[in-house]
Amino acid sequence: MCGIVGYTGPRRAVPILLGGLAKLEYRGYDSAGIAVLEDGVIKVHKQAGKLAGLAERLQGYNGQARTGIGHTRWATHGRPSDTNAHPHSDCSGRFAVVHNGIIENYLELREWLGSQGHQFTSETDTEVLPHLVEHFYQGDLVEAVRRVVERIRGSYAMVVLSADKPDKLVAVRQDSPLVVGLGQGENFLASDIPALLAHTRRTYILDDGEMAVLTPEEVKIFNRCGEPVEKRVFEVKWEAAQAEKNGFAHFMLKEIHEQPRALRDTLKGRLAGDDSAVVLKELEIDDGKLRSLRKIFITACGTAYHAGLVGKYVIEQLARVPVEVDIASEFRYRQPLIDEGTLVIVISQSGETADTLAALREARRLGAPVLAVTNVVDSSIAREADHVLYTWAGPEIAVASTKAYTTQLVAMYLIALHLATVRGTITLEERRTIIKELKQLDSRAELILSNGHLIRDLARMYGGAEDVFFIGRGLDHAVALEGSLKLKEISYIHAEAYAAGELKHGTLALIEKGVPVVALATQKNLFEKTLSNIKEVKARDATVIALAMEGQKELEKVADHVLYIPPTNPVLAPVLAVIPLQLLAYQMAVVRGCDVDQPRNLAKSVTVE
Ligand code: AGP
């Protein structure tokens, strides 16, 4: 997820582009760049690192360009570097492009363009775009961009600047956000509204497949068939600061609501069209090696460790390989029994967590191949692992990890299904069933996110609690651990999670009148057992907030409150079950007036031991 901007009008473009990018830097900060049209020539200024570096370099730059484009990068294809920074140009330098998204078929396009004599300078998927414009351009920029769109697959918000069309910008949106800012005698483009608010509140929110053609005087919108579209003006009511959160009060709430998109993006291009298999091109471990695997270790910290616990259940259940899950700071010192039949999986949102990085190095020292599941391209863990599976959650700014966790769960399902397919431990029908349900996780998550009112009420009722217990069996226990961590880290309430069957061996002593117990009961084969554990805590006058799949009506007879999630395959339930727990923790923290996005004593990426 990157930030892009564009401007055409009577004012100097450079300060407007830099100002817009500064409002989008939370979307990615691996590199920054602008391209402006100066006396008929496109001038590109770009470099790796934060925007501040580029702004400093351009201080005193008094170019008179009136049209330009800009970009702040969240690296996906190609490490953060000056060369991989956007904007990218074609061979002649007559076209420059900024892009947010992923061009899935870029490798075949690169090969084809290469055979036509085009020279490439970067590792990015994006660079095929200006070369394609160059290939199709015959005097009509709009027509050239239309032909480019016919050839590319994937997600893209892109803006094209041409030396031949001084004050024109052509932009297209497909699966990545793009907004047009409507000015007086000038017009703007941006990935998100924060970049526009200093200039206008009148906007067009582009829909998928739409193209915008901007000049200072007018903005024309076309649909994917090239027909003109009458767009409704969207008048922005937000304050700039608020807009960065897209209207949400906190980044955490925004990121919770971004999960449907993050799930879709993490599955994109990784499921066979006929639901028969997962396609993990990036996983270059040969099938023979996977078949001869005797043991898997998963190691990580915090929320990522909790994702690993779900990974254990799913990989053992589907692929029948024994899995051990370790907290990274323990794994690295306990001389784990690793041999040539072992695979080590490390999970890390930031890709920079010191303990996890050290666990990775220890595993490699002991001779195990390491597969990293991470959300940051070219992070240290990505660079040092033998194989990398990226989650596409986009930048996660709130310290409390939410969307990264659910995308890590999806990564675990993809790995488990791939292993099970290679090892022949599940049938084609079983695979199809799970893959079909995987594809519906985003819409089911939307449903949960659309009715959070009960959770707000529960937060008001129990926000003053001093202790909260989470219980569950099997996969529900793994999710209960994540739910209690979320509550602890942002509301500072003492919260514990327990395997529901373990309570009676001690902790039940802590249960007394009014103590809230969040009980997860999403696993059909464990439902009856969990119900009896709920009755155990009710017998000690606990207040039970149960969480189950729609239809489990008998819970209403036992629990004080029941949160329902849409029915899904029990093995996939953790992705949906955690969302009400994220919202509950968030609302409890708000009720207690806590600094939700930057909780005390914590950091987003713990790069120290
Ligand atoms: C989770 O909300 C916390 N921010 C923390 O536990 C985090 O999961 C842990 O520090 C691991 O971070 P990583 O995924 O970036 O490695």
Side-chain angles (χ1 to χ4, degrees), residues 203-410:
T203 67
Y204 287 153
I205 313 286
L206 293 188
D207 292 318
D208 279 348
E210 286 184 342
M211 174 187 283
V213 181
L214 277 66
T215 60
E217 299 74 34
E218 66 174 356
V219 175
K220 289 194 191 124
I221 308 290
F222 302 92
N223 64 20
R224 63 176 86 247
C225 312
E227 296 140 355
V229 174
E230 277 309 308
K231 287 293 280 185
R232 181 178 59 76
V233 174
F234 174 75
E235 192 78 31
V236 183
K237 302 254 178 315
W238 307 319
E239 296 310 315
Q242 221 196 343
E244 254 166 27
K245 299 180 186 107
N246 241 0
F248 290 95
H250 296 96
F251 278 110
M252 182 182 178
L253 188 62
K254 178 192 175 216
E255 288 157 8
I256 290 173
H257 281 262
E258 282 180 339
Q259 293 183 103
R261 190 264 318 145
L263 295 171
R264 269 194 301 278
D265 283 359
T266 301
L267 286 171
K268 197 175 278 173
R270 291 170 164 169
L271 299 174
D274 61 359
D275 301 344
S276 63
V278 299
V279 186
L280 298 182
K281 296 198 205 81
E282 60 267 66
L283 211 58
E284 290 136 359
I285 308 177
D286 72 67
D287 292 359
K289 178 109 183 106
L290 294 177
R291 274 191 215 98
S292 62
L293 267 184
R294 287 195 297 279
K295 179 112 183 225
I296 292 177
F297 284 91
I298 300 179
T299 186
C301 303
T303 288
Y305 165 75
H306 294 152
L309 290 173
V310 171
K312 170 185 171 65
Y313 280 98
V314 178
I315 293 171
E316 288 188 345
Q317 202 173 317
L318 300 182
R320 311 311 291 158
V321 185
V323 177
E324 248 184 76
V325 188
D326 273 278
I327 290 168
S329 52
E330 291 296 314
F331 178 87
R332 56 182 300 195
Y333 295 113
R334 75 169 184 81
Q335 296 161 6
L337 301 172
I338 284 181
D339 63 22
E340 68 293 341
T342 306
L343 170 68
V344 173
I345 300 177
V346 300
I347 309 176
S348 173
Q349 186 287 126
S350 61
E352 301 299 344
T353 299
D355 285 322
T356 309
L357 187 55
L360 176 158
R361 291 174 179 154
E362 175 65 1
R364 300 198 77 232
R365 188 185 69 76
L366 294 167
V370 175
L371 163 60
V373 173
T374 184
N375 192 47
V376 181
V377 170
D378 209 53
S379 54
S380 309
I381 284 174
R383 259 175 305 189
E384 296 194 27
D386 301 288
H387 313 279
V388 185
L389 188 62
Y390 286 116
T391 55
W392 301 122
E396 195 175 63
I397 295 169
V399 169
S401 183
T402 53
K403 59 179 181 175
Y405 171 75
T406 46
T407 58
Q408 286 160 359
L409 296 184
V410 163

Side-chain angles (χ1 to χ4, degrees), residues 23 350 475:
K23 288 290 178 195
S350 61
L475 282 168

Side-chain angles (χ1 to χ4, degrees), residues 466-486:
E466 279 173 22
D467 307 289
V468 175
F469 290 85
F470 290 74
I471 61 172
R473 285 174 175 259
L475 282 168
D476 283 336
H477 176 222
V479 179
L481 285 162
E482 177 55 15
S484 80
L485 176 62
K486 287 283 104 50

Side-chain angles (χ1 to χ4, degrees), residues 113-155:
L113 287 161
S115 68
Q116 314 275 319
H118 289 264
Q119 302 291 324
F120 287 86
T121 55
S122 79
E123 302 163 307
T124 68
D125 54 327
T126 298
E127 196 188 350
V128 293
L129 299 174
H131 289 281
L132 283 169
V133 175
E134 178 187 18
H135 180 83
F136 290 119
Y137 184 72
Q138 282 152 354
D140 179 340
L141 183 60
V142 173
E143 182 49 31
V145 176
R146 194 166 292 131
R147 300 209 37 210
V148 170
V149 168
E150 283 161 4
R151 291 302 299 265
I152 58 178
R153 269 201 328 278
S155 58

